Amino acid sequence: MQETSFIVIRGNSMRLDGGSMFGNAPKALWQKWIAADENGMIDIASNCLLVKTGHHNLLFETGCGAYLSSDMKMRFAVKEETHMLLQALAEERLTDSDISHVVLSHLHFDHVGGLLSAWEPDREPDLLFPKAFFVVGEENFRRAKSPHYRDRASFIPGLCEKLQATGRLVLKRGGDRLNVGGLSIEFFQSQGHTPGMLVSWIQARGGTVVFTGDLTPGLPWVNLPITMGYDRFAEKLVDEKKLMLDRAVAEDALLVFPHDAVHVAARVEHDPVKKRVMPAQVFETLNMTL
């Protein structure tokens, strides 16, 4: 395998209710990890992983983007008006046309909104990334096309049809692999947050990087029992998270989090005193070569 660069870049940020983000964990506990404002809202980042290998540029997630109308931006407290992911790519001397693969853990709007151009009055947003293959979990794609009443507001109407129309949609199942530019990416399928979410195990020459999706949206959720109110099956998610964390310890894998506004990544270890997996090394930024 050749050397590969791993860079965390930021898309548009937002604020969400802290109680919803921490499920049944009491505020007295979770506010020790993340500060909330007077309304109980916490910062939610759009951390996207840019992977440069050979002649390929892969992007894991696109964040919430800037496609929402002004009133919807207010509802989700999206901070920036411009498309921050495109600006972040420009800082790496890239445009959306330079991305060869966009790998999406799942199709909730806060992970895929950056696929679309910024909102303009009286105009439907365009699908960006004109040369990229869009890699999505097959089961989650079906869910997005026919969502349940409980989570249909989390999906962007018409996005699945836009992806299909490109002819560049690649559907994957758990256990499938994607081999690109010397990388081998293994997909672990999770059901706890949303059906068919994909966790990406990216195996490079110098080690393994895992894009966790919402199995662990940020550093506090490395704590095994901590789940979100948005999760479909909390106990199932905890079981899946344990499998991921145990494997991460065994492989000394680096975990990259999609929503943590402070810590974008961490390595983990088994704490013999607390008898569970705990963060061992945390990163506030990430730009490394493996």
Side-chain angles (χ1 to χ4, degrees):
M1 293 183 181
Q2 59 194 335
E3 286 191 344
T4 302
S5 297
F6 292 85
I7 307 164
V8 170
I9 59 177
R10 301 268 194 179
N12 291 70
S13 57
M14 56 195 297
R15 293 176 73 79
L16 290 175
D17 180 75
S20 296
M21 286 298 294
F22 284 99
N24 65 348
K27 186 177 181 181
L29 175 62
W30 62 255
Q31 69 180 352
K32 296 177 182 178
W33 299 323
I34 297 181
D37 65 14
E38 65 276 8
N39 296 316
M41 305 285 278
I42 64 173
D43 289 328
I44 300 295
S46 289
N47 300 325
C48 308
L49 179 62
L50 175 63
V51 181
K52 299 179 179 180
T53 180
H55 299 294
H56 299 88
N57 298 306
L58 294 83
L59 185 64
F60 291 77
E61 308 285 76
T62 65
C64 66
Y67 79 98
L68 291 167
S69 62
S70 298
D71 59 332
M72 293 299 289
K73 281 190 175 78
M74 290 182 62
R75 178 181 296 185
F76 293 105
V78 178
K79 296 182 180 180
E80 307 90 358
E81 293 294 327
T82 57
H83 202 310
M84 300 303 294
L85 177 60
L86 298 184
Q87 293 187 28
L89 287 172
E91 292 174 5
E92 298 298 326
R93 300 181 180 180
L94 296 172
T95 71
D96 61 303
S97 296
D98 296 312
I99 302 300
S100 61
H101 298 74
V102 179
V103 182
L104 304 163
S105 65
H106 61 296
L107 294 174
H108 285 169
F109 80 96
D110 55 322
H111 292 254
V112 301
L115 291 173
L116 299 171
S117 60
W119 181 81
E120 296 180 42
D122 303 317
R123 178 180 175 181
E124 184 178 349
D126 295 321
L127 184 66
L128 303 174
F129 303 95
K131 300 178 182 178
F133 291 98
F134 300 103
V135 183
V136 184
E138 180 179 340
E139 185 176 355
N140 197 249
F141 190 79
R142 291 198 302 269
R143 176 73 166 205
K145 291 191 73 173
S146 182
H148 190 272
Y149 289 108
R150 185 180 185 271
D151 65 353
R152 64 181 179 180
S154 296
F155 297 103
I156 301 174
L159 180 62
C160 289
E161 290 73 18
K162 288 180 183 292
L163 294 175
Q164 283 181 309
T166 66
R168 291 177 273 114
L169 177 65
V170 179
L171 298 179
K172 292 291 186 179
R173 300 177 181 179
D176 286 351
R177 287 183 177 269
L178 177 68
N179 297 306
V180 179
L183 290 180
S184 178
I185 304 167
E186 178 187 353
F187 297 108
F188 169 72
Q189 184 167 276
S190 167
Q191 305 289 349
H193 178 65
T194 184
M197 187 180 77
L198 297 180
V199 175
S200 296
W201 289 79
I202 312 163
Q203 296 165 339
R205 184 181 70 174
T208 299
V209 176
V210 183
F211 195 87
T212 67
D214 278 345
L215 204 52
T216 50
L219 188 66
W221 292 267
V222 170
N223 290 278
L224 194 58
I226 301 300
T227 62
M228 294 187 289
Y230 303 112
D231 294 331
R232 180 172 178 252
F233 294 121
E235 291 185 3
K236 178 67 173 174
L237 184 136
V238 170
D239 293 339
E240 294 166 341
K241 189 196 312 189
K242 186 176 188 307
L243 289 174
M244 182 188 73
L245 293 175
D246 287 345
R247 181 177 172 184
V249 171
E251 298 183 13
D252 192 30
L254 179 69
L255 305 178
V256 176
F257 309 124
H259 289 312
D260 200 308
V262 177
H263 303 105
V264 302
R267 295 188 188 277
V268 292
E269 65 183 5
H270 187 266
D271 188 314
V273 176
K274 295 185 177 181
K275 300 185 185 304
R276 59 188 174 94
V277 174
M278 298 284 289
Q281 181 184 19
V282 298
F283 300 81
E284 294 186 359
T285 61
L286 186 69
N287 189 335
M288 66 168 54
T289 300
L290 293 177

